[in-house]
C-alpha cells in the first residue's frame, strides 16, 4: 500500500499556505493538497494553480469548497467564521502542488487513497 509520501513524491516540497506560496505557484493545470499537521486535509485540481490557491485563501464560501469546509469547522453557534478566520486557519497549514496534464484523474486517485476530511465526495473507484 502506498503511503502519503509515495503519493506526493512528485509534488513540490511542503510550504506554509500563505499568499506568498500562492503567488509562487505556476499558472498551469495541476493538483494541490493542503496538509494539516502533515495529514492531507484537502486535495483539489485546477486549470490554474496560482489562481486557485489564491482563491482558497482570499475567496469566499461560494468560490471555494475548501473555504466553505474550513468555515464550517470554525463556525460557532450564532457566530459564522469570517474570511480572515478561515485564511488564518489555512495559514497554519502547508500546501504542495504538482503540475499535470491530468489534474482531475490525479486528484481523484489522491482522494480515493487518502480520503481527505475536507473533500466532500470520494469518487467511486473505476
Amino acid at each position: 500500500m502506498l503511503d502519503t509520501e509515495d503519493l506526493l513524491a512528485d509534488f513540490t516540497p511542503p510550504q506554509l499556505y500563505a499568499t506568498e506560496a500562492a503567488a509562487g505557484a505556476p499558472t498551469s493545470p495541476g493538483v494541490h493538497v493542503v496538509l494539516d499537521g502533515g495529514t492531507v486535509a484537502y486535495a483539489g485540481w485546477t486549470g490554474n494553480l496560482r489562481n486557485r490557491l489564491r482563491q482558497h485563501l482570499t475567496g469566499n464560501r461560494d468560490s471555494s469548497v475548501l473555504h466553505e469546509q474550513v468555515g464550517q469547522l470554525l463556525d460557532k453557534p450564532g457566530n459564522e467564521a469570517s474570511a480572515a478566520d478561515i485564511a488564518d486557519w489555512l495559514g497554519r497549514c502547508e500546501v504542495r502542488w504538482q503540475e499535470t496534464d491530468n489534474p482531475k484523474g490525479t486528484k481523484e486517485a489522491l482522494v480515493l487513497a487518502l480520503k481527505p476530511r475536507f473533500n466532500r465526495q470520494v469518487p467511486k473507484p473505476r
Side-chain angles (χ1 to χ4, degrees):
M1 171 127 182
L2 290 173
D3 70 5
T4 302
E5 273 312 304
D6 291 334
L7 291 167
L8 300 180
D10 293 330
F11 280 64
T12 59
Q15 53 189 306
L16 275 179
Y17 194 3
T19 52
E20 295 81 16
T27 57
S28 53
V31 178
H32 55 285
V33 294
V34 176
L35 299 106
D36 180 16
T39 300
V40 174
Y42 178 79
W45 71 276
T46 180
N48 183 320
L49 283 160
R50 183 180 305 158
N51 285 349
R52 191 63 176 149
L53 291 175
R54 191 177 291 135
Q55 191 173 41
H56 286 319
L57 281 173
T58 63
N60 59 56
R61 292 180 186 223
D62 293 329
S63 68
S64 162
V65 169
L66 177 60
H67 202 89
E68 167 66 17
Q69 297 288 307
V70 172
Q72 288 178 13
L73 172 79
L74 300 176
D75 286 346
K76 304 217 175 352
N79 186 18
E80 187 174 277
S82 70
D85 295 333
I86 294 166
D88 285 348
W89 190 92
L90 287 170
R92 293 193 296 270
C93 295
E94 292 178 317
V95 65
R96 298 176 71 174
W97 62 82
Q98 175 189 37
E99 294 176 76
T100 176
D101 292 334
N102 182 17
K104 188 174 183 188
T106 303
K107 178 234 174 173
E108 285 184 0
L110 286 171
V111 170
L112 277 172
L114 301 173
K115 298 176 180 47
R117 73 178 184 191
F118 291 128
N119 285 87
R120 284 188 184 153
Q121 316 170 334
V122 174
K124 296 190 180 4
R126 297 181 198 265

